[in-house]
Structure formats: structure tokens, C-alpha cells
Amino acid sequence: MRLLLSLMTILGFAMGVAAQAAGVLLADGTRFEPARAALQPTVGRLPADEAAAVEKQALAAAVEFAASPQEPADETQFVKNFELLDVAKGFFIARGRESEAFLYTAWSARMRRNYQGIIVFERAKNGAGGRLTKIAAHYAYRFRGDRFIRRVAGFERDARDGLAVFSDFSTRKEDRRTVRIVGFTPAGLEKRFFGEIFVRIEQKQLSPVTLDGRPPAKRVYIPPLVTAAKIFAAVDAAGKTVFRRQEFRRKGDAWTVAGEPAEFAAEADPVDYVELVRPSTEGK
């Protein structure tokens, strides 16, 4: 028993060392809801007047852009005029200027479609009771099943925080989750990363049959194929950001490691962002 505990301790230590060597953890596909750092705000704890202010400003923009004729199933399930999904706090616009990013889903009467958006407010440190002040950035895009946002500290090249956006798109046969990371610069929104972190694919169930007329054999359930990935980022000696991916497979309710973190090239962010308010460093 002591030997087993010692081996488990050594294994846990080795995995921790390997994770540190891989870089900063950006996303963990083995979790449905990404971990939230301490002192980060939540939608449920927002003052009612602040939530109302975010909704008012988000809906004040005249949003219109091209969208596919076919609505995704997840989009048709959204029936509200506006829903505030998540919030993250950080230095998204400039160091020393704290701001809060809000992820939302809304209905456009012009397009007769749902869409999603990210709106960033600056928060006053004093003189306004720490309340939200002006809009620091605002971008809208077609509905993608976005659910969560998280601060990515120090990910920007100029030491500003990045924003990770987590999506979940489901059909009857599969469930896929992605993460993309964006930054807010004076030149506009900067696409920094996009990748798939979770896949669940239903497997075809075989019908038990016999050729000799006897009763069919007992049906054997074939479980879905479920894989996930953890994404890490590190800066190499040349100052270049390097991404690493570690694969996992799920057996029952447990995840098993399918390989060590390996360097890979991130995919191109496919989202077409409509700029409603461009980030500005004025007043820094």
C-alpha cells in the first residue's frame, strides 16, 4: 500500500513538472466549464443595474451582417431577446486600466437571427464607486454556441491580457467544443488562437442478427468516442509564442492521458467579427 501511494505521488509530481514545462495552461478540454480564477466576477453576482447597463449598451448597436440561411440547432433553442452569458475581469485594453469583458447572446430584429457579442467596459477605480464607465471595445459575430469567457493573463505581446472564448456546438451525433483567444489593440481585435478541445462522437449501434433462425444475440452497446485536449502556451528563446497540445481519451467517467504535450500550429480563427467600438488606449 505504501509503495502504491509512493508511486502515485511520484507520478503526480512528474505530471506537474511536465505541465509546467509545457507552458501556461490556456484551456482544459476535460472540463465542460473552464476553471475560474479567484476574485474573478460572475454573472450571478453582478449588481442588477450593471447587468441592465450592459444589456442596454449591447442592444443599442445596429448589428447586421451576413449569416448562413440555415440556423444551427443551438441557435433555434435561444428564445430570449438578450442573455448575459459570462464575464471576465482583467487588463484587456491597457495595463493599469482595469476593464471587464461581457459575453452575450442577443436577437437582431433586422436580421431576424440570433447573434453573439463581446463588449468591454472600463471600470473606474475611484470617483465612481468602482462602477462601470465607458465602453472600451465591442464586437459582434454570428451565433457560435459561445458559453464562457476567461482572462488569459499576460498573453498579449505588450503584456495586456487576452480573452479566451469557449464554444460548445452539438448535434444528435456529435458534440464539439473549441476555444479561441483574442486580444484588443488600437488596430482592432487581434485573433491569437483557435483550436478544438473536445469531441464526442456517437458510434453506430450494430443490430444483432443470426442467419440460422435462432433468436438474435443480446445487443451490445457501443459507447461514444470521446477525446479532449489541454492547450498550453509558452514563449521560446526567440520571444515567439509556442503552443503545445496534450491529448486525452475518456473511458467511462475517467480521462486517460494519450500522449505528452506536443508542439503544434494553431488553426485560423474562423469568426468574422463586426467592429462596433474599436479599442482605444487614450487616457492610459
Side-chain angles (χ1 to χ4, degrees), residues 57-75:
Q57 293 298 328
L59 295 179
V63 177
E64 188 171 7
F65 46 82
S68 59
Q70 183 65 37
E71 291 179 299
D74 284 8
E75 183 179 347

Side-chain angles (χ1 to χ4, degrees), residues 22-34:
V24 177
L25 179 63
L26 299 181
D28 183 356
T30 66
R31 301 174 58 108
F32 173 71
E33 181 173 349

Side-chain angles (χ1 to χ4, degrees), residues 93 135-139 184-189 275-281:
I93 306 301
I135 299 176
H138 191 186
Y139 290 85
F184 302 98
T185 76
L189 182 142
E275 186 175 80
L276 302 172
V277 176
R278 173 168 291 194
S280 172
T281 57

Side-chain angles (χ1 to χ4, degrees), residues 169-176 196 199-202:
F169 185 81
S170 302
T171 67
R172 289 185 300 174
K173 296 183 178 180
E174 63 182 38
D175 182 14
R176 295 179 180 271
E196 195 168 67
V199 179
R200 181 182 187 274
I201 302 177
E202 295 290 341

